[in-house]
Amino acid sequence: MTVFPQDKVARARVLVVGDIMLDRYWFGEVERISPEAPVPVVHVARRENRLGGAANVARNIAALGGQTTLIGVVGDDEAGVEIENLAAQDNIATRLVTDPVLHTTLKMRVLGRQQQMLRIDFEEHPGEASLAQVKTLFAAQLQHHDVVVLSDYAKGALAHVDVLIDMARAANRPVLVDPKGHDYQRYKGATIITPNRQEMREAVGYWSSEADLEMRAQALRHKLALEALLVTRSEQGMTLFLDGSRFHVDAAAQEVFDVSGAGDTVLATLALMRAAGLSWEDAVAWANRAGGVAVGKLGTSVVTVGELR
């Protein structure tokens, strides 16, 4: 793997579109059981908000020194305002649609002594009017970016993902997709999709060997007219499938603490390295290293250039 391409990364421009959410953490101590019910009482000592979903992808791109613009839908509420503020702090350009009848997707986690005890999710799908605005913003931003990332968390912002892929292809912009669900036909025509091990199983079924996986992966790649397909496999590393070839890297993590958000880091690094002009193999190697750093951190987090070096 080459030296981190700092100068090329600084010129790289990545457009991120997808499901935006706010990750809210309440940290505290547990010293007693509630007298009202057999549940622990968490005395909250610290609160922290972090960008989640597609916003975390953009945050990771910015943390590595790349230029990024974020498109998505938020509600007209406190969480939506907080996302705008956090994005500004992280040097992310935003083109957000504010839906007046939508509540911003929010994941609230309660932790006692660094152990997650409870997660509460608030989520609603955006309406057609908001999705139409996303397409308009996307069309306006395409020419100003080198690479497109579509971050799908199945919250509705990418309900028309096929249209966005077609628009990007018409503009000759590579499209990297983090998929969700089992219907991958909607991602047809993307440049690459990056399912994790479980998502790949949902799409192609269980494989019995590496040769079986390669056969299924190449069949899916051909079916969806993809240039490449990357399967992220946790402790087994990552495997990239190209036309007639396979490239594997072993897991880089020294210690796994929390896998939440690691997929965002991998996708962000992969997109940024491709925008910087690196080969698929080199881009995957950097993404693997970044993912190995991310899983050693608590919650959705970013990886810096210093940590990759």
Side-chain angles (χ1 to χ4, degrees):
M1 192 164 59
T2 56
V3 175
F4 188 85
Q6 188 81 59
D7 292 342
K8 291 180 180 179
V9 162
R11 295 191 296 270
R13 302 165 301 172
V14 182
L15 180 59
V16 180
V17 189
D19 294 303
I20 296 171
M21 57 192 74
L22 184 68
D23 285 333
R24 178 161 287 166
Y25 295 86
W26 288 3
F27 299 93
E29 293 295 326
V30 178
E31 297 175 346
R32 63 191 178 97
I33 300 298
S34 170
E36 302 166 358
V39 294
V41 175
V42 180
H43 179 71
V44 176
R46 181 167 61 92
R47 306 177 191 186
E48 188 175 335
N49 291 326
R50 301 179 189 176
L51 295 173
N56 189 42
V57 177
R59 182 179 174 226
N60 272 271
I61 291 167
L64 289 173
Q67 302 173 51
T68 185
T69 302
L70 175 66
I71 296 176
V73 184
V74 296
D76 186 11
D77 52 19
E78 176 268 337
V81 172
E82 180 68 1
I83 285 170
E84 285 270 22
N85 292 337
L86 290 174
Q89 291 172 24
D90 288 329
N91 297 315
I92 300 168
T94 54
R95 298 293 186 273
L96 304 184
V97 176
T98 300
D99 190 322
V101 299
L102 182 80
H103 290 290
T104 301
T105 299
L106 172 67
K107 293 181 180 179
M108 190 168 77
R109 298 171 176 89
V110 180
L111 297 94
R113 296 182 180 176
Q114 303 297 306
Q115 190 74 36
Q116 188 173 150
M117 307 183 69
L118 176 68
R119 192 179 102 179
I120 304 170
D121 288 7
F122 302 87
E123 60 182 64
E124 298 172 6
H125 286 210
E128 283 299 324
S130 293
L131 296 178
Q133 290 183 62
V134 167
K135 283 188 279 188
T136 300
L137 291 169
F138 183 71
Q141 289 297 319
L142 260 179
Q143 298 296 336
H144 306 297
H145 295 81
D146 307 306
V147 166
V148 172
V149 169
L150 301 178
S151 177
D152 195 350
Y153 272 81
K155 310 299 182 192
L158 293 179
H160 303 307
V161 66
D162 54 335
V163 176
L164 300 182
I165 291 171
D166 288 345
M167 292 167 67
R169 282 178 65 100
N172 199 31
R173 295 296 187 272
V175 184
L176 292 80
V177 180
D178 185 8
K180 275 293 179 291
H182 59 274
D183 179 19
Y184 282 16
Q185 196 62 32
R186 56 202 298 266
Y187 306 122
K188 186 173 184 178
T191 308
I192 187 173
I193 60 173
T194 62
N196 61 32
R197 185 166 51 192
Q198 183 55 40
E199 290 164 345
M200 187 65 174
R201 284 171 179 162
E202 290 177 11
V204 303
Y206 282 77
W207 50 89
S208 58
S209 64
E210 289 298 310
D212 188 23
L213 170 60
E214 182 164 5
M215 181 187 71
R216 292 169 188 257
Q218 292 290 14
L220 181 62
R221 193 182 65 79
H222 282 290
K223 179 182 177 183
L224 301 181
L226 306 172
E227 180 180 334
L229 191 157
L230 177 67
V231 184
T232 59
R233 306 171 65 184
S234 300
E235 74 282 355
Q236 294 176 334
M238 301 180 185
T239 311
L240 174 73
F241 298 95
L242 296 163
D243 187 15
S245 69
R246 171 188 182 275
F247 174 73
H248 180 81
V249 285
D250 292 328
Q254 300 301 308
E255 181 179 354
V256 178
F257 183 69
D258 187 349
V259 299
S260 62
D264 298 334
T265 300
V266 167
L267 181 64
T269 309
L270 184 69
L272 189 56
M273 293 303 162
R274 286 297 288 173
L278 273 65
S279 68
W280 280 120
E281 291 85 354
D282 283 344
V284 167
W286 281 112
N288 184 59
R289 180 181 288 191
V293 174
V295 296
K297 301 183 178 186
L298 174 64
T300 48
S301 55
V302 296
V303 173
T304 65
V305 176
E307 289 170 321
L308 284 188
R309 285 174 173 159

